[in-house]
Amino acid sequence: MRILVVEDTEDLADAIIQRLRKHGYAIDWAADGYQAEELLAGETYQLVILDLMLPGPDGQTLLRQLRRKGDQTPVLVVTARSRVDTKVDALDLGADDYVVKPFDFRELEARCRALLRRHHGIAASEQVFGNMVFDTATKKVTVEAQTVDLSAREFRLLELFLSNLNRVMAKDTLIDRLCSLDQPVAPNAIELYVSRLRRKLERASVVIRTVHGQGYVAERQDAP
């Protein structure tokens, strides 16, 4: 999952980025409203973490622009403004959630997970796919009640496949959602990640199939 962090306080932005990257998310950073406008115009994100008080166009302006062009990307507003009127204004403009600084990073992570789930129509953190259980809160995957050891990147790749079950995912789309702009990616990176994931899930009810010339598709394949 690819997230844009729009925050002008460098120390806070760095802390958010490092925390989320540790969990396998691909993160891009915009330090002001102008950088955010450029990234939002040219890139696709699954979540935007947006400060309201920014140099250049402020957070409310960016949020208004996003919604006016029909972009439904989930937006989590992060700001020091705690007045109820400010929260109401942001929510009415189209924000999906709101957290006030200073905040506990565990709360920020939980709100990010909830918004990413909700965007895909998923209510709970734990999902069951036949003999496989996938939990975004604990970052745990089990097959036949046995824990599957996945790296952070492998976990996010599996999350992408499960969020798009039975849909063909192009390699470029997978790279775009797994890697941020400042992360170099080898040409065969996706093939390697998919190969490792298949080996680790060889007994699972979900299989990842190659669609030649198009990409990959994850399908549920329960034993008869």
Side-chain angles (χ1 to χ4, degrees):
M1 299 294 183
R2 193 168 174 195
I3 299 173
L4 175 62
V5 175
V6 187
E7 170 60 61
D8 64 320
T9 304
E10 187 171 352
D11 288 347
L12 178 58
D14 185 63
I16 294 172
I17 291 167
Q18 295 307 316
R19 186 96 180 197
L20 294 178
R21 278 185 174 170
K22 186 174 73 173
H23 296 304
Y25 293 109
I27 311 294
D28 292 335
W29 174 42
D32 58 44
Y34 296 114
Q35 291 179 17
E37 282 183 329
E38 185 177 349
L39 287 170
L40 288 168
E43 305 293 333
T44 300
Y45 296 97
Q46 283 67 63
L47 176 65
V48 177
I49 299 175
L50 178 66
D51 187 13
L52 291 183
M53 295 181 285
L54 297 166
D58 63 14
Q60 288 183 322
T61 299
L62 293 170
L63 183 55
R64 187 181 294 109
Q65 290 173 350
L66 203 62
R67 297 310 186 221
R68 280 182 176 173
K69 65 181 183 181
D71 192 324
Q72 298 302 310
T73 302
V75 174
L76 172 60
V77 166
V78 179
T79 184
R81 298 176 183 173
S82 59
R83 292 176 58 246
V84 172
D85 287 348
T86 304
K87 298 178 185 179
V88 170
D89 288 345
L91 292 169
D92 283 345
L93 278 174
D96 297 273
D97 202 356
Y98 197 110
V99 64
V100 177
K101 303 173 187 175
F103 51 82
D104 189 310
F105 279 100
R106 294 171 299 174
E107 179 185 1
L108 181 73
E109 292 168 10
R111 290 181 183 274
C112 288
R113 291 194 301 269
L115 289 177
L116 289 167
R117 287 199 312 269
R118 201 178 305 158
H119 191 59
H120 289 96
I122 301 166
S125 63
E126 184 180 278
Q127 302 167 69
V128 180
F129 302 87
N131 68 0
M132 184 175 77
V133 179
F134 181 85
D135 193 324
T136 57
T138 62
K139 299 170 191 65
K140 184 177 179 181
V141 177
T142 61
V143 174
E144 297 175 348
Q146 299 296 311
T147 300
V148 179
D149 184 21
L150 298 180
S151 69
R153 185 63 59 81
E154 290 165 350
F155 185 89
R156 293 304 165 199
L157 178 59
L158 179 57
E159 182 180 26
L160 276 173
F161 280 127
L162 296 179
S163 299
N164 295 275
L165 209 60
N166 301 316
R167 298 177 187 167
V168 177
M169 302 287 288
K171 293 179 183 178
D172 287 347
T173 300
L174 293 171
I175 290 174
D176 182 65
R177 296 190 183 183
L178 281 175
C179 304
S180 55
L181 292 173
D182 60 352
Q183 292 176 308
V185 182
N188 64 338
I190 289 299
E191 287 92 334
L192 292 174
Y193 288 133
V194 170
S195 176
R196 291 175 193 163
L197 203 51
R198 281 171 169 162
R199 286 200 305 271
K200 294 180 179 183
L201 299 176
E202 59 183 358
R203 301 191 323 276
S205 298
V206 172
V207 296
I208 301 168
R209 186 168 57 83
T210 300
V211 181
H212 293 290
Q214 297 184 57
Y216 301 97
V217 61
E219 299 170 330
R220 183 164 166 170
Q221 186 171 292
D222 296 332

